[in-house]
Amino acid sequence: MKTLSLSTILLLASLSLYAQTFNSFYSSIVENTSQANLLNDLTTFESFGVKNVGSTRLTDAENWITSRYQSLGYTDIVLQPFSYSAGTSNNIIITKTGTVYPNTFLIIDAHYDTINGPGTNDNGSGTVLIMELARLLKDIDTEYSIKFIHFSGEEDGLVGSNYYVNTTVIPQNLDIRLVFNIDEVGGLAGTNNDTIVCERDLSSPPSNNAASNAFTNNLATLIELYSTLNTEISYAYASDYIPFENNGEIITGLYEKNETPYAHTANDLLVNMDVPYLYQVTKGSLGAALEFANAYETLSIEEESQLNNQISITPNPSDGVVKIVFAEPLNQSVDFKLTDMLGKDVFETSLTEQSQTLSIDGLSSAQYFAVFKLNNKRFIKRLIIE
């Protein structure tokens, strides 16, 4: 079990002080969400039939999911096998590497196994939502790394997610920013599906509950910013975020408000779902993922060249004091931070003057990234401290 670290305390402070606001760059990505993609993928998912562990039908779904990521251009795709009484299956783990914090992960997960029926809602809805997020995030720069994980064995007692936590997260001491779980978000046909439930951690260990609450409140705000849905806050239970929660990780999740009566039956079918509702859930989830992973616009070669000439850091190498000078007066503050080669923040401030001198003599002699945040864009220089 993890204790509440200084980084978590700082995280809580930042989450509480800065309310989420609409981001036009994020919105431009969200608007590319395709309802047709979701419908087509749900149709394919349903066609595989009952996808219980040990069946060829689950293997067919696994191959389809894996092929989708390959077609999108992802190369870090891992099939993690595990065995238990029902048979052998695989967790599907896809990693998109962050630019500033490559070793800190936003995990977006859903299970793809089903029981007693094709599970088009439980959890084909979460499965296709994540694949649509992965499509739209593929070429977007994010400060944090993202792991898209499709767990198996969920219906038999969270077997796959427990295996991943016990054999990967714990032994590798994986640095997880947030676990964002998607389970049964397809809505119920014939009802007014206008609300999504955002789930927070209210159980033991208590050390991660405050951070989960902060992220979940932000999730609700982001869902409402980037979709037409209302939100409701509830508690997390009985899904693949629980093994992470038990390990002290910060979790949040989504679950449909109008709960289907067809889960775990032969009637968990596309005809009993509300695809436009899933489309809105996907849009809101994408907006949240962009925020949680710190997505940003990529600088063009011309913009990068201009900024390189407009921003100077001297001396470099530095002996503990640096002077940052902008070629022109600032009309707004610029967020500035130093990160080490492992992607950890070691210094952070806000720059408000055209010329500003900073004392960084508490930092070890090493090479660092100097990261300037200008609106939705990031500019990075290297700084050596001797």
Side-chain angles (χ1 to χ4, degrees):
M1 184 178 75
K2 298 182 178 179
T3 57
L4 196 62
S5 64
L6 176 60
S7 60
T8 301
I9 294 170
L10 293 173
L11 168 67
L12 287 171
S14 65
L15 288 173
S16 61
L17 287 173
Y18 300 102
Q20 307 303 325
T21 57
F22 183 80
N23 185 307
S24 59
F25 171 59
Y26 294 172
S27 179
S28 69
I29 300 167
V30 169
E31 290 310 310
N32 288 318
T33 305
S34 170
Q35 184 171 315
N37 281 358
L38 296 169
L39 177 59
N40 291 336
D41 284 345
L42 285 171
T43 302
T44 301
F45 186 89
E46 184 169 295
S47 72
F48 294 125
V50 184
K51 293 165 281 293
N52 55 297
V53 171
S55 70
T56 57
R57 299 176 297 277
L58 183 62
T59 301
D60 291 342
E62 173 196 302
N63 292 336
W64 169 65
I65 293 168
T66 303
S67 295
R68 170 61 58 81
Y69 284 96
Q70 292 171 337
S71 70
L72 291 173
Y74 286 94
T75 56
D76 191 345
I77 305 171
V78 174
L79 297 181
Q80 181 184 53
F82 60 93
S83 299
Y84 61 110
S85 58
T88 298
S89 189
N90 288 296
N91 294 323
I92 310 169
I93 305 158
I94 301 90
T95 303
K96 169 184 167 58
T97 303
T99 57
V100 180
Y101 311 99
N103 299 310
T104 302
F105 302 94
L106 166 65
I107 291 179
I108 309 175
D109 75 279
H111 72 90
Y112 70 101
D113 63 308
T114 74
I115 188 170
N116 299 329
T120 313
N121 192 357
D122 183 18
N123 189 30
S125 60
T127 301
V128 305
L129 182 155
I130 289 182
M131 292 196 298
E132 182 68 357
L133 261 58
R135 179 182 75 86
L136 293 164
L137 289 168
K138 170 63 176 63
D139 297 317
I140 303 299
D141 284 328
T142 59
E143 290 190 358
Y144 292 93
S145 291
I146 303 174
K147 286 186 181 291
F148 305 99
I149 305 182
H150 297 266
F151 286 119
S152 184
E154 192 269 357
E155 298 291 7
D156 290 330
L158 317 181
V159 180
S161 51
N162 266 300
Y163 185 84
Y164 179 74
V165 169
N166 290 328
T167 64
T168 301
V169 174
I170 294 174
Q172 293 182 13
N173 194 27
L174 208 64
D175 188 6
I176 299 174
R177 173 170 168 79
L178 178 69
V179 177
F180 182 16
N181 183 74
I182 315 291
D183 195 355
E184 196 177 308
V185 291
L188 180 61
T191 63
N192 181 24
N193 300 294
D194 63 356
T195 302
I196 187 70
V197 176
C198 303
E199 302 170 312
R200 61 183 174 182
D201 179 12
L202 294 177
S203 59
S204 296
S207 58
N208 49 7
N209 291 5
S212 172
N213 181 65
F215 266 112
T216 304
N217 285 331
N218 283 340
L219 172 62
T221 299
L222 292 159
I223 291 284
E224 294 187 4
L225 283 173
Y226 298 105
S227 77
T228 62
L229 297 175
N230 301 315
T231 57
E232 178 179 300
I233 305 294
S234 186
Y235 61 95
Y237 68 100
S239 193
D240 281 317
Y241 41 25
I242 295 302
F244 293 92
E245 190 278 334
N246 290 337
N247 192 53
E249 311 298 345
I250 303 168
I251 66 167
T252 193
L254 293 177
Y255 196 78
E256 63 191 11
K257 169 63 175 176
N258 296 331
E259 187 173 350
T260 179
Y262 303 114
H264 302 170
T265 75
N267 289 318
D268 188 355
L269 300 168
L270 180 57
V271 69
N272 291 318
M273 289 175 52
D274 183 347
V275 176
Y277 173 71
L278 175 61
Y279 170 63
Q280 293 298 330
V281 177
T282 304
K283 291 176 69 176
S285 298
L286 178 56
L290 288 161
E291 180 73 31
F292 294 154
N294 283 12
Y296 61 93
E297 293 182 76
T298 303
L299 292 168
S300 66
I301 295 175
E302 181 180 358
E303 287 175 319
E304 190 158 358
S305 177
Q306 289 176 346
L307 286 171
N308 192 50
N309 293 328
Q310 292 174 0
I311 304 174
S312 68
I313 303 179
T314 57
N316 191 4
S318 168
D319 60 358
V321 174
V322 293
K323 184 176 183 181
I324 300 176
V325 178
F326 294 86
E328 300 176 359
L330 298 180
N331 54 23
Q332 65 182 74
S333 63
V334 173
D335 292 333
F336 173 77
K337 60 187 174 184
L338 294 175
T339 67
D340 63 21
M341 292 295 104
L342 296 176
K344 297 295 184 182
D345 288 352
V346 295
F347 180 87
E348 190 168 3
T349 191
S350 181
L351 303 174
T352 57
E353 305 294 335
Q354 183 176 1
S355 176
Q356 202 158 328
T357 299
L358 306 175
S359 174
I360 53 174
D361 56 0
L363 300 182
S364 302
S365 297
Q367 186 174 178
Y368 296 88
F369 291 119
V371 183
F372 298 83
K373 180 180 178 182
L374 304 94
N375 297 319
N376 291 318
K377 299 187 178 183
R378 308 290 189 274
F379 176 64
I380 300 176
K381 283 179 172 281
R382 290 180 182 265
L383 175 67
I384 298 173
I385 298 179
E386 294 183 339

